[in-house]
Amino acid sequence: MQSVQLALYNTLSRRKEAFVPLDPGHIRMYVCGPTVYSYPHVGNARSAVVFDVLYRLLRRLYPRVTYARNITDVDDKIIAAAQAAHEPIESIATRTAAAYREDMAALGTLPPTQEPRATQYIPQMIAMIERLIARGHAYAAQGHVLFDVPSMPDYGKLARRDRDDMIAGARVEVAPYKKDPADFVLWKPSADNQPGWDSPWGRGRPGWHIECSAMGEALLGETFDIHGGGQDLMFPHHENEIAQSACAHGGAPLARYWMHNGFLSMNDEKMSKSLGNIVTVRELLADWPGEVIRLALLSAHYRAPLNWTTETLQQAKASLDRFYNALKLARDAGVALSAGEPPTTFLEALADDLNTAQALAVLHEAADSLNQANMAADAPRRRQAAARLLAGGDVFGILRQDLDAWFRWQKPGSAAADDGEIQTLIDLRLAARKARNFTEADRIRDELAARGIVLEDGAKGTTWRRSLGADPR
């Protein structure tokens, strides 16, 4: 394991801090996963991809990492979606959870170590609520149990918003049974046609916030190293998690480091259903390889806003084409490709609060070195440069595809020339050249070039690839 000092921006302290794990032999991280009522959109994917890179980095730096990412499978949004689709709640939750896993896998994310479903941890949620009541931090009222916000003097320390702003931002329900307008639901009653479980307060279901607190405690302990999620979860969800967990654990913090990825906009507009500019991962995968979408999501620093455009995807495609082409040239020269150790500067960039933009620049430098070795026909340098590029790609979660297949990828259902048609034209060109009909041979080459196919003549014959994008640097 290479030794670099990891530093992370802690939202709780609002500063970058050296990462000091609770147990250097076992890193524990929890990231809020999806509420499974619809297909994941690209904004959901940003969080999954960002924390996948952190997971990969942590696994390289530490001997053991437990990464928990939950599935919220009981929620009012799921109930509403099931009613609208006339589909059983369990059916829609199971189907959309499977879609989430498939789509994230297509983006190259590793499965988390633990993937708890909220409905599997109802007893733990009830037990935590009972502790909060016993310690004077929650109360029962009309079938509900609510967290008593004024009982926690430093409530709001994560969001750092004033009380009125927090109440407005949380869009809290106004209810006569609340002691304080800011109090939030831990348990709520369920109607006969809604999912529910028996509890000391009657048949009901958990509030959203208590789910993650209970699952995090069950899987990672009272206090763990890192809690991550999107910036939109900072308040009220993560604020309420902190309150519940600290009060249930006698003041022990839920997590040492809080990390939040920035918002994603679509063509300079906020992504929202009201504007109709939500794009799902599944829709994107119909037009782009998964690695392109992944690299586009990593092209900006995770805490910075990311403007999602066609140009963002084109730039990512051009970068990947460049990396794959350098590796292909090395392979075609007889180099056996295998990953080695990533460049130290690459790991240092990622260890500096997951600076993926700087790490990507280092990968381009590695591609430069490989291209120079290819041009010099220097086999030892080729092997070393290719191993470094592949190792960096492994931490980034890219460069996992077959080299030839990468350049032959096309959109599913595309009207572009298929592999058989291209090979037929190449054979016709070869026959024209043998017949010294160079005009016809050039015409065929030009026809293929106009269709995005680049021919490369070599000692072993003619190979082809779909055209590279512009140099991304």
Side-chain angles (χ1 to χ4, degrees):
M1 295 184 184
Q2 289 165 274
S3 177
V4 296
Q5 177 57 59
L6 178 60
L8 301 172
Y9 183 85
N10 191 346
T11 310
L12 193 61
S13 65
R14 298 296 196 273
R15 67 174 184 269
K16 193 187 301 184
E17 301 176 5
F19 178 65
V20 181
L22 288 163
D23 174 5
H26 183 196
I27 309 303
R28 290 166 291 156
M29 176 173 71
Y30 186 99
V31 175
C32 288
T35 299
V36 285
Y37 66 98
S38 63
Y39 288 137
H41 56 68
V42 66
N44 304 138
R46 188 181 195 192
S47 180
V49 168
V50 162
F51 288 104
D52 179 70
V53 173
L54 179 58
Y55 177 41
R56 290 168 180 267
L57 177 64
L58 290 169
R59 295 204 315 174
R60 181 167 285 273
L61 300 180
Y62 296 95
R64 181 185 174 197
V65 181
T66 296
Y67 169 28
R69 186 185 67 206
N70 71 293
I71 296 285
T72 296
D73 60 348
V74 53
D75 184 86
D76 290 350
K77 291 180 180 178
I78 303 173
I79 295 171
Q83 290 173 344
H86 303 290
E87 182 177 357
I89 292 169
E90 174 61 24
S91 172
I92 197 168
T94 299
R95 177 172 56 79
T96 53
Y100 179 84
R101 294 188 195 97
E102 291 168 6
D103 290 353
M104 295 309 107
L107 302 187
T109 67
L110 299 171
T113 318
Q114 301 282 351
E115 191 183 55
R117 291 178 66 135
T119 53
Q120 298 169 336
Y121 289 82
I122 301 296
Q124 290 87 342
M125 296 172 201
I126 291 173
M128 181 173 277
I129 294 169
E130 288 179 318
R131 266 181 281 154
L132 289 168
I133 293 173
R135 294 181 179 184
H137 294 291
Y139 58 93
Q142 297 183 24
H144 295 74
V145 181
L146 297 107
F147 184 85
D148 187 354
V149 168
S151 75
M152 185 179 185
D154 60 350
Y155 180 84
K157 62 184 177 182
L158 179 67
R160 298 190 182 185
R161 297 159 72 172
D162 65 51
R163 177 182 169 79
D164 291 342
D165 187 33
M166 284 193 292
I167 293 173
R171 297 190 295 274
V172 297
E173 179 187 0
V174 176
Y177 49 79
K178 285 188 176 186
K179 292 182 179 179
D180 188 279
D183 295 349
F184 58 88
V185 171
L186 302 173
W187 188 264
K188 65 178 92 174
S190 291
D192 291 341
N193 64 344
Q194 295 175 329
W197 292 262
D198 291 334
S199 81
W201 318 285
R203 182 178 179 276
R205 61 191 189 278
W208 173 33
H209 313 303
I210 196 68
E211 295 177 1
C212 287
S213 285
M215 288 185 284
E217 176 192 68
L219 295 171
L220 304 176
E222 287 189 357
T223 301
F224 46 87
D225 293 294
I226 300 168
H227 194 311
Q231 186 178 337
D232 57 314
L233 298 179
M234 190 187 308
F235 186 86
H237 185 50
H238 289 167
E239 193 73 67
N240 292 348
E241 277 190 72
I242 288 173
Q244 297 160 162
S245 296
C247 291
H249 300 151
L254 173 60
R256 297 275 299 281
Y257 302 85
W258 287 82
M259 298 177 65
H260 295 90
N261 61 274
F263 290 116
L264 189 144
S265 59
M266 297 290 293
N267 298 308
D268 294 313
E269 286 188 317
K270 180 182 177 182
M271 191 173 67
S272 71
K273 291 182 179 179
S274 62
L275 293 174
N277 61 356
I278 295 286
V279 59
T280 67
V281 173
R282 195 147 292 198
E283 289 168 335
L284 286 170
L285 287 168
D287 293 327
W288 299 92
E291 280 194 11
V292 170
I293 301 166
R294 180 185 180 90
L295 192 59
L297 289 166
L298 296 173
S299 60
H301 192 280
Y302 78 94
R303 286 191 286 113
L306 176 60
N307 187 34
W308 192 259
T309 65
T310 300
E311 289 72 25
T312 309
L313 289 157
Q314 290 172 336
Q315 189 84 348
K317 177 65 163 61
S319 291
L320 286 163
D321 283 347
R322 185 169 184 269
F323 299 154
Y324 274 111
N325 195 51
L327 292 167
K328 184 175 181 295
L329 291 173
R331 183 210 60 186
D332 291 347
V335 173
L337 300 179
S338 61
E341 289 294 327
T344 300
T345 50
F346 172 83
L347 289 178
E348 288 173 343
L350 287 183
D352 183 15
D353 192 34
L354 219 61
N355 191 338
T356 55
Q358 180 58 37
L360 180 57
V362 176
L363 289 185
H364 277 292
E365 292 172 2
D368 285 341
S369 297
L370 180 52
N371 283 328
Q372 291 164 7
N374 284 331
M375 291 177 65
D378 187 331
R381 282 179 57 203
R382 274 176 172 151
R383 280 194 298 274
Q384 183 182 47
R388 286 159 66 86
L389 179 57
L390 282 169
D394 185 61
V395 181
F396 240 47
I398 59 172
L399 306 182
R400 311 292 292 171
Q401 308 303 312
D402 176 83
L403 300 181
D404 296 313
W406 175 262
F407 289 111
R408 298 183 180 187
W409 184 91
Q410 58 183 319
K411 298 178 184 179
S414 170
D418 61 27
D419 292 7
E421 182 183 357
I422 293 166
Q423 191 58 52
T424 297
L425 289 169
I426 290 173
D427 292 343
L428 289 172
R429 175 175 174 267
L430 178 61
R433 292 179 70 183
K434 286 182 177 179
R436 304 187 66 79
N437 186 351
F438 298 114
T439 299
E440 176 62 8
D442 289 345
R443 185 197 67 76
I444 294 172
R445 174 186 281 274
D446 292 343
E447 178 186 341
L448 287 167
R451 298 168 74 174
I453 307 301
V454 176
L455 302 184
E456 295 174 342
D457 296 316
K460 297 181 180 180
T462 300
T463 60
W464 64 271
R465 57 179 168 80
R466 300 191 190 278
S467 61
L468 299 175
D471 192 318
R473 295 172 301 162

